[in-house]
Amino acid sequence: MTPQQTTGRSRWRLAIATAIAVLVLAVTGCSGSSLGGSDTSGEEIRIGLIVPKSGPYKAIGDDQAAGWRLALAKLGGKLGGRPVKVIEADEGDGKATALASARKLIEQDKVLALVGGGTADTVQTLYPLLKESGVPLIGTGGRPSTVADPTYLWSTSWLSQETGASIAGYLRQKVGEGRVWVIGPDYIGGRDQINGFVDAFRKAGGKLANPGGEPTWTPWAPAPTTEFSPYLTKIKESGAAAVYTFYAGASAVEFVKQYRQYGITTPLYASGFLTEGPSLTALGEQAKGIYTALNYSTTLDNAANRDFVRRYTAANDGKLPNLYHVCGWDAALVLDKAIAEALARPDAPAATPATTASPAPSSSTPASPVTSSAAVGGASGELTGRSLTAALSRVGSIDSPRGAWQFGLQNHTPVQAYYLREVAQDGQVWVNRTVQTLTTLGS
């Protein structure tokens, strides 16, 4: 073989090797973006978890975080098939503390989305930052009525007016021509909760027993009221046929304890947060016979709830979960579906209200997308806050322990059932026993 022949064959082999290498690089490059319309790069996703770790709602924040972690464990530490790094921050008592924590998560930690928000105050405070940054919040707590454009706000919890509205018609029938004394805390979440009841109760022909026919408001700032004696004296003397209230956290515990200490026998009805989670644990038998309205009870008989209760009790020495756990759990389920959807169809537009399904969702098929003005992600395969926000509108039905629900596309809150519950003893524990389904609300 001549030197010229050897050189020619070497050049030919080099050309083939180079072509193969280019092809391999091209294929592996695609796998990191949008090969087949899905992202398989395995790049870590950062999620910011912002819940009360201090202040009057710390116990609620602990439960929200526990529910989130339990679901993430079920999902193998991944969302949409991607590994997740969760960065936690303190919401505190809302406002300044919550805003500083959220700004750090978004600007320094570069999170894809926020999860949490224990109070309506926090959600109201954070919303301008969400719009400015394009980072969505999956809210797990109070949802205020003051958010006119909820593009970047998706709540797995409730719209604050709905809880009271759900029980108003029932209570109107119970009291007949009698009047109801109404009392609650003076902040945006409290006013939404109480006014939701009052507006619906009045529309049903009900009247308040309070002086002047208006609700009684207890101070929220600089600290929530925990001394209720002046109010309880008036309630006891009012001749009301029933009392309706909303309190949560430490205020809920003190209100019920002092209600019993004053020997008030007037039937007590409330938004479910009065006897939910840590409050019921602290009250025990003192909460017996209180009727509440809420969108969850541990006694609901469905497959998702049985699995959820089993997992929670197994991980928590037999203790029972509550709605705060459910909202954290559902936030992970929502993000799991939304991230998978955003990776599969990064340029698909957001669904619009015209595609909203019926109030009793039974299919897990995402809503059909319709052209929208909502901003969506950039390059094909790129996962951004805006592509995720658009995908959130297309996640369809969530198989939740509270019963299947899906987002309403007007307010981005669950279209869900509300239940009448009664505090009763179940073996050695006190529970909010499901009495009946009241109504379905959400938008």
Side-chain angles (χ1 to χ4, degrees):
M1 184 178 297
T2 65
Q4 289 82 359
Q5 288 174 316
T6 302
T7 301
R9 289 185 178 182
S10 298
R11 288 174 179 169
W12 177 245
R13 289 170 181 164
L14 178 62
I16 292 175
T18 301
I20 292 173
V22 169
L23 180 60
V24 169
L25 286 172
V27 172
T28 56
C30 287
S31 69
S33 55
S34 58
L35 185 63
S38 62
D39 190 298
T40 58
S41 69
E43 182 181 345
E44 182 180 77
I45 292 172
R46 292 187 171 199
I47 301 294
L49 180 65
I50 177 169
V51 296
K53 293 176 174 290
S54 61
Y57 286 152
K58 179 184 182 300
I60 292 173
D62 290 343
D63 287 351
Q64 291 173 333
W68 161 266
R69 296 186 195 110
L70 188 65
L72 201 57
K74 177 185 177 181
L75 296 169
K78 296 183 177 182
L79 294 175
R82 289 279 201 90
V84 175
K85 180 178 181 180
V86 179
I87 304 169
E88 300 191 10
D90 186 15
E91 174 184 334
D93 58 359
K95 298 190 183 298
T97 302
L99 184 60
S101 292
R103 193 172 290 281
K104 174 188 176 295
L105 290 169
I106 292 172
E107 296 178 356
Q108 296 182 31
D109 299 315
K110 308 295 183 183
V111 298
L112 175 69
L114 296 176
V115 172
T119 71
D121 259 356
T122 290
V123 174
Q124 181 177 251
T125 299
L126 296 188
Y127 197 70
L129 177 61
L130 305 179
K131 292 183 67 175
E132 173 191 326
S133 63
V135 172
L137 168 67
I138 315 302
T140 58
R143 166 64 190 275
S145 62
T146 52
V147 178
D149 171 20
T151 301
Y152 296 101
L153 177 59
W154 300 79
S155 300
T156 63
S157 49
W158 56 85
L159 193 62
S160 293
Q161 300 101 315
E162 290 174 353
T163 316
S166 71
I167 197 175
Y170 172 86
L171 189 50
R172 172 70 180 88
Q173 291 182 342
K174 291 293 289 185
V175 300
E177 295 304 313
R179 300 191 178 204
V180 175
W181 185 287
V182 180
I183 182 172
D186 188 10
Y187 76 106
I188 181 62
R191 284 189 171 269
D192 280 348
Q193 288 278 346
I194 292 298
N195 287 332
F197 170 80
V198 171
D199 291 347
F201 186 66
R202 284 173 171 164
K203 286 179 182 177
K207 296 182 179 180
L208 304 194
N210 307 62
E214 296 297 329
T216 297
W217 303 106
T218 59
W220 172 260
T225 298
T226 55
E227 173 51 60
F228 294 98
S229 55
Y231 310 102
L232 295 173
T233 299
K234 293 178 181 179
I235 290 173
K236 193 171 183 177
E237 297 171 350
S238 69
V243 172
Y244 181 83
T245 188
F246 160 77
Y247 287 106
S251 293
V253 174
E254 289 304 317
F255 182 85
V256 174
K257 282 184 176 180
Q258 293 169 41
Y259 196 92
R260 299 307 190 204
Q261 290 166 2
Y262 268 70
I264 301 173
T265 57
T266 308
L268 180 56
Y269 293 81
S271 169
F273 307 103
L274 189 76
T275 62
E276 189 67 6
S279 296
L280 183 56
T281 301
L283 289 167
E285 188 174 3
Q286 294 178 93
K288 181 180 179 180
I290 295 176
Y291 284 90
T292 65
L294 206 59
N295 49 351
Y296 176 70
S297 166
T298 54
T299 65
L300 290 174
D301 187 17
N302 64 64
N305 192 41
R306 289 192 294 272
D307 176 63
F308 170 68
V309 172
R310 177 185 61 79
R311 289 174 183 272
Y312 183 85
T313 55
N316 292 274
D317 299 322
K319 294 178 182 177
L320 291 173
N322 58 61
L323 175 63
Y324 307 121
H325 295 111
V326 172
C327 292
W329 168 280
D330 282 3
L333 301 188
V334 165
L335 277 177
D336 182 50
K337 295 184 72 172
I339 289 170
E341 169 68 12
L343 290 171
R345 298 196 295 158
D347 297 316
T352 66
T355 65
T356 304
S358 64
S362 58
S363 169
S364 59
T365 304
S368 301
V370 177
T371 301
S372 167
S373 61
V376 295
S380 180
E382 181 183 0
L383 184 60
T384 68
R386 285 178 168 80
S387 66
L388 177 61
T389 297
L392 282 163
S393 69
R394 306 191 301 267
V395 296
S397 181
I398 302 301
D399 190 18
S400 169
R402 76 188 84 174
W405 63 267
Q406 65 186 44
F407 286 119
L409 294 182
Q410 179 180 344
N411 285 310
H412 301 172
T413 58
V415 179
Q416 61 189 332
Y418 280 83
Y419 308 98
L420 178 67
R421 316 178 313 169
E422 178 188 14
V423 175
Q425 195 165 19
D426 183 6
Q428 298 299 311
V429 298
W430 290 91
V431 299
N432 290 290
R433 178 179 63 87
T434 308
V435 177
Q436 68 179 68
T437 301
L438 290 167
T439 187
T440 296
L441 297 173
S443 59

